[in-house]
Coordinates of all heavy atoms in Angstrom, one line a residue:
Chain A
N215 N -15.6 -5.5 5.3 CA -16.8 -5.8 4.5 C -17.1 -7.3 4.7 O -18.3 -7.7 5.0 CB -16.6 -5.5 3.0 CG -17.0 -4.1 2.7 OD1 -17.7 -3.4 3.5 ND2 -16.4 -3.6 1.6
I216 N -16.1 -8.1 4.6 CA -16.3 -9.6 4.7 C -16.7 -9.9 6.1 O -17.5 -10.8 6.4 CB -15.1 -10.3 4.3 CG1 -14.7 -10.0 2.8 CG2 -15.2 -11.8 4.4 CD1 -13.4 -10.5 2.4
L217 N -16.1 -9.2 7.1 CA -16.4 -9.4 8.5 C -17.9 -9.4 8.8 O -18.5 -10.2 9.5 CB -15.7 -8.4 9.4 CG -16.1 -8.4 10.9 CD1 -15.7 -9.8 11.5 CD2 -15.3 -7.3 11.6
G218 N -18.6 -8.4 8.1 CA -20.0 -8.2 8.3 C -20.8 -9.5 7.8 O -21.7 -10.0 8.5
E219 N -20.3 -10.1 6.7 CA -21.0 -11.2 6.2 C -20.7 -12.5 7.0 O -21.6 -13.3 7.2 CB -20.6 -11.5 4.7 CG -21.0 -10.4 3.8 CD -22.5 -10.2 3.8 OE1 -23.2 -11.1 4.0 OE2 -22.9 -9.0 3.6
V220 N -19.5 -12.6 7.5 CA -19.1 -13.7 8.3 C -19.9 -13.6 9.7 O -20.5 -14.6 10.1 CB -17.6 -13.8 8.6 CG1 -17.2 -14.8 9.6 CG2 -16.9 -14.1 7.3
A221 N -20.0 -12.4 10.2 CA -20.7 -12.2 11.5 C -22.2 -12.6 11.3 O -22.8 -13.2 12.2 CB -20.5 -10.8 11.9
R222 N -22.7 -12.2 10.1 CA -24.1 -12.6 9.9 C -24.4 -14.1 10.0 O -25.3 -14.5 10.5 CB -24.5 -12.1 8.5 CG -26.0 -12.0 8.2 CD -26.3 -11.5 6.8 NE -25.6 -10.2 6.5 CZ -26.0 -9.0 7.0 NH1 -27.0 -8.9 7.8 NH2 -25.3 -7.9 6.7
R223 N -23.4 -14.8 9.4 CA -23.6 -16.3 9.4 C -23.4 -16.8 10.9 O -24.0 -17.8 11.2 CB -22.6 -16.9 8.5 CG -23.1 -16.8 7.0 CD -22.0 -16.9 6.0 NE -22.4 -16.9 4.7 CZ -22.8 -15.8 4.0 NH1 -22.8 -14.7 4.6 NH2 -23.3 -15.9 2.8
T224 N -22.5 -16.2 11.6 CA -22.3 -16.7 13.0 C -23.5 -16.4 13.8 O -23.8 -17.2 14.7 CB -21.0 -16.1 13.7 OG1 -21.2 -14.7 13.7 CG2 -19.7 -16.4 12.9
V225 N -24.2 -15.3 13.6 CA -25.4 -15.0 14.3 C -26.5 -16.1 13.9 O -27.1 -16.7 14.8 CB -26.0 -13.6 14.0 CG1 -27.3 -13.3 14.7 CG2 -25.0 -12.5 14.2
H226 N -26.5 -16.4 12.6 CA -27.5 -17.3 12.1 C -27.3 -18.7 12.8 O -28.3 -19.4 13.1 CB -27.4 -17.4 10.6 CG -28.4 -18.3 10.0 ND1 -29.7 -18.0 9.9 CD2 -28.2 -19.5 9.3 CE1 -30.3 -19.0 9.3 NE2 -29.4 -19.9 8.9
Y227 N -26.0 -19.1 12.8 CA -25.7 -20.4 13.4 C -25.5 -20.4 14.9 O -25.2 -21.5 15.5 CB -24.5 -21.0 12.7 CG -24.7 -21.4 11.3 CD1 -24.0 -20.7 10.3 CD2 -25.5 -22.5 10.9 CE1 -24.2 -21.1 8.9 CE2 -25.6 -22.9 9.6 CZ -25.0 -22.2 8.6 OH -25.2 -22.5 7.3
D228 N -25.6 -19.2 15.5 CA -25.4 -19.1 16.9 C -24.0 -19.6 17.4 O -23.8 -20.4 18.3 CB -26.5 -19.8 17.7 CG -26.6 -19.3 19.2 OD1 -26.0 -18.2 19.4 OD2 -27.1 -19.9 20.0
V229 N -23.0 -19.1 16.7 CA -21.6 -19.5 17.0 C -20.9 -18.2 17.5 O -21.1 -17.1 17.0 CB -20.9 -19.9 15.7 CG1 -19.4 -20.3 16.0 CG2 -21.6 -21.1 15.1
K230 N -20.0 -18.4 18.4 CA -19.2 -17.3 18.9 C -18.2 -16.8 17.9 O -17.5 -17.7 17.3 CB -18.5 -17.7 20.2 CG -17.8 -16.5 20.9 CD -17.1 -17.0 22.2 CE -16.3 -15.9 22.8 NZ -15.4 -16.3 23.8
I231 N -18.0 -15.5 17.7 CA -17.0 -15.0 16.9 C -15.9 -14.2 17.7 O -16.3 -13.5 18.6 CB -17.6 -14.1 15.7 CG1 -16.5 -13.7 14.7 CG2 -18.3 -12.9 16.2 CD1 -17.0 -13.1 13.4
I232 N -14.7 -14.4 17.4 CA -13.6 -13.7 18.1 C -12.8 -12.8 17.1 O -12.4 -13.4 16.1 CB -12.6 -14.7 18.8 CG1 -13.3 -15.6 19.7 CG2 -11.5 -13.9 19.6 CD1 -12.5 -16.8 20.2
V233 N -12.8 -11.5 17.4 CA -12.1 -10.7 16.4 C -11.0 -9.8 17.1 O -11.3 -8.8 17.7 CB -13.1 -9.7 15.7 CG1 -12.4 -9.0 14.6 CG2 -14.3 -10.4 15.2
P234 N -9.7 -10.3 17.2 CA -8.7 -9.5 17.8 C -8.1 -8.5 16.8 O -8.1 -8.8 15.6 CB -7.6 -10.6 18.1 CG -7.8 -11.7 17.1 CD -9.3 -11.6 16.7
N235 N -7.8 -7.3 17.3 CA -7.4 -6.2 16.3 C -6.1 -5.6 16.7 O -5.7 -5.5 17.9 CB -8.4 -5.1 16.4 CG -9.7 -5.5 15.7 OD1 -9.9 -5.4 14.5 ND2 -10.7 -5.9 16.5
I236 N -5.4 -5.2 15.7 CA -4.0 -4.6 15.9 C -4.1 -3.1 15.8 O -3.2 -2.5 16.3 CB -3.0 -5.2 14.8 CG1 -1.6 -4.9 15.2 CG2 -3.3 -4.6 13.4 CD1 -0.6 -5.7 14.3
D237 N -5.1 -2.6 15.3 CA -5.2 -1.1 15.1 C -6.4 -0.6 15.9 O -7.5 -1.1 15.7 CB -5.3 -0.7 13.7 CG -5.3 0.8 13.4 OD1 -4.3 1.5 13.7 OD2 -6.4 1.3 13.0
P238 N -6.3 0.5 16.7 CA -7.4 1.0 17.4 C -8.6 1.4 16.6 O -9.8 1.2 17.0 CB -6.9 2.1 18.3 CG -5.4 2.2 18.0 CD -5.1 1.2 17.0
I239 N -8.3 2.0 15.4 CA -9.4 2.5 14.6 C -10.1 1.4 13.9 O -11.3 1.3 13.8 CB -8.9 3.6 13.6 CG1 -8.4 4.8 14.4 CG2 -10.0 4.0 12.6 CD1 -7.8 5.9 13.5
V240 N -9.3 0.4 13.4 CA -9.9 -0.8 12.8 C -10.8 -1.5 13.8 O -11.9 -2.0 13.5 CB -8.8 -1.7 12.2 CG1 -9.4 -3.0 11.7 CG2 -8.1 -1.0 11.1
F241 N -10.3 -1.5 15.1 CA -11.0 -2.2 16.2 C -12.4 -1.5 16.4 O -13.4 -2.2 16.4 CB -10.2 -2.1 17.5 CG -11.0 -2.1 18.7 CD1 -11.8 -3.2 19.1 CD2 -11.0 -1.0 19.5 CE1 -12.6 -3.2 20.2 CE2 -11.8 -1.0 20.7 CZ -12.6 -2.0 21.0
A242 N -12.4 -0.2 16.4 CA -13.7 0.5 16.6 C -14.7 0.2 15.5 O -15.8 0.0 15.8 CB -13.4 2.0 16.7
I243 N -14.2 0.2 14.3 CA -15.1 -0.1 13.1 C -15.5 -1.5 13.1 O -16.7 -1.8 12.9 CB -14.3 0.3 11.8 CG1 -14.0 1.8 11.8 CG2 -15.2 0.0 10.6 CD1 -13.1 2.3 10.8
A244 N -14.6 -2.4 13.4 CA -14.9 -3.9 13.4 C -16.0 -4.1 14.5 O -16.9 -4.9 14.3 CB -13.7 -4.7 13.7
R245 N -15.8 -3.5 15.6 CA -16.8 -3.7 16.7 C -18.2 -3.2 16.3 O -19.2 -3.9 16.6 CB -16.3 -3.0 18.0 CG -17.0 -3.3 19.2 CD -16.4 -2.6 20.4 NE -17.0 -2.9 21.6 CZ -18.2 -2.4 22.1 NH1 -18.8 -1.5 21.3 NH2 -18.7 -2.8 23.2
E246 N -18.2 -2.0 15.7 CA -19.5 -1.5 15.2 C -20.1 -2.4 14.2 O -21.4 -2.6 14.2 CB -19.3 -0.1 14.6 CG -19.2 1.0 15.6 CD -20.4 1.1 16.6 OE1 -21.6 1.2 16.1 OE2 -20.2 0.9 17.8
I247 N -19.3 -2.9 13.3 CA -19.9 -3.8 12.2 C -20.5 -5.1 12.8 O -21.6 -5.4 12.5 CB -18.7 -4.2 11.2 CG1 -18.4 -3.0 10.4 CG2 -19.1 -5.4 10.4 CD1 -17.2 -3.2 9.5
V248 N -19.8 -5.7 13.8 CA -20.3 -6.9 14.4 C -21.5 -6.6 15.2 O -22.6 -7.3 15.1 CB -19.2 -7.6 15.2 CG1 -19.8 -8.8 15.9 CG2 -18.0 -8.0 14.4
K249 N -21.5 -5.5 16.0 CA -22.6 -5.1 16.8 C -23.8 -4.9 15.9 O -25.0 -5.3 16.2 CB -22.2 -3.9 17.6 CG -23.3 -3.5 18.6 CD -22.8 -2.3 19.4 CE -23.9 -1.7 20.2 NZ -23.5 -0.4 20.7
E250 N -23.6 -4.1 14.8 CA -24.7 -3.8 13.9 C -25.3 -5.0 13.3 O -26.5 -5.1 13.1 CB -24.2 -2.8 12.9 CG -25.2 -2.1 12.0 CD -26.3 -1.4 12.8 OE1 -26.0 -0.8 13.8 OE2 -27.5 -1.5 12.4
T251 N -24.4 -6.0 13.0 CA -24.9 -7.2 12.3 C -25.8 -8.0 13.3 O -26.9 -8.5 12.9 CB -23.7 -8.1 11.9 OG1 -22.8 -7.4 11.1 CG2 -24.2 -9.3 11.2
Y252 N -25.4 -8.0 14.6 CA -26.3 -8.7 15.6 C -27.6 -8.0 15.7 O -28.7 -8.6 15.8 CB -25.6 -8.7 17.0 CG -24.6 -9.9 17.1 CD1 -23.4 -9.9 16.6 CD2 -25.1 -11.0 17.8 CE1 -22.5 -11.0 16.8 CE2 -24.2 -12.1 18.0 CZ -23.0 -12.1 17.4 OH -22.1 -13.2 17.6
N253 N -27.6 -6.6 15.7 CA -28.8 -5.9 15.7 C -29.7 -6.1 14.5 O -30.9 -6.4 14.7 CB -28.5 -4.3 15.8 CG -28.0 -3.9 17.1 OD1 -28.1 -4.7 18.1 ND2 -27.3 -2.8 17.2
S254 N -29.1 -6.1 13.3 CA -29.9 -6.2 12.1 C -30.5 -7.6 12.0 O -31.5 -7.8 11.3 CB -29.1 -5.8 10.9 OG -28.0 -6.7 10.7
E255 N -29.8 -8.6 12.6 CA -30.3 -10.0 12.6 C -31.3 -10.3 13.7 O -31.7 -11.4 13.9 CB -29.1 -11.0 12.6 CG -28.2 -10.9 11.4 CD -28.9 -11.4 10.1 OE1 -29.4 -12.5 10.1 OE2 -28.9 -10.6 9.2
G256 N -31.6 -9.3 14.5 CA -32.6 -9.4 15.6 C -32.1 -10.1 16.8 O -32.8 -10.7 17.6
R257 N -30.7 -10.1 17.0 CA -30.1 -10.8 18.2 C -29.2 -9.8 18.9 O -28.1 -10.2 19.2 CB -29.4 -12.0 17.7 CG -30.2 -13.1 17.1 CD -31.0 -13.9 18.1 NE -30.3 -14.2 19.4 CZ -29.5 -15.3 19.4 NH1 -29.4 -16.1 18.4 NH2 -28.9 -15.6 20.6
P258 N -29.6 -8.6 19.3 CA -28.7 -7.7 20.0 C -28.2 -8.2 21.3 O -27.1 -8.0 21.7 CB -29.5 -6.4 20.1 CG -30.9 -6.8 20.0 CD -31.0 -8.0 19.1
D259 N -29.1 -9.1 21.9 CA -28.7 -9.7 23.2 C -27.5 -10.6 23.1 O -26.8 -10.8 24.1 CB -29.9 -10.4 23.8 CG -30.5 -11.4 22.8 OD1 -30.8 -11.0 21.7 OD2 -30.5 -12.6 23.1
A260 N -27.4 -11.2 21.9 CA -26.3 -12.3 21.8 C -25.0 -11.7 21.5 O -24.0 -12.4 21.6 CB -26.7 -13.2 20.6
F261 N -24.9 -10.3 21.3 CA -23.6 -9.7 21.0 C -22.8 -9.6 22.3 O -23.2 -9.1 23.3 CB -23.8 -8.3 20.4 CG -22.5 -7.5 20.3 CD1 -21.5 -8.0 19.4 CD2 -22.3 -6.4 21.0 CE1 -20.4 -7.3 19.2 CE2 -21.1 -5.7 20.9 CZ -20.1 -6.1 20.0
D262 N -21.6 -10.2 22.2 CA -20.7 -10.1 23.4 C -19.6 -9.0 23.1 O -18.8 -9.1 22.2 CB -19.9 -11.5 23.5 CG -18.9 -11.5 24.6 OD1 -18.8 -10.5 25.3 OD2 -18.1 -12.5 24.6

Side-chain angles (χ1 to χ4, degrees):
Chain A
N215 274 338
I216 300 166
L217 172 62
E219 294 305 327
V220 171
R222 195 178 310 284
R223 283 159 175 76
T224 59
V225 180
H226 182 70
Y227 289 113
D228 199 17
V229 181
K230 185 184 175 188
I231 184 167
I232 304 168
V233 189
N235 290 277
I236 197 168
D237 180 68
I239 294 176
V240 175
F241 151 64
I243 297 167
R245 192 177 183 278
E246 277 306 300
I247 287 171
V248 175
K249 188 179 168 188
E250 190 54 41
T251 307
Y252 274 81
N253 287 342
S254 64
E255 293 295 304
R257 295 288 312 279
D259 55 302
F261 173 64
D262 175 10

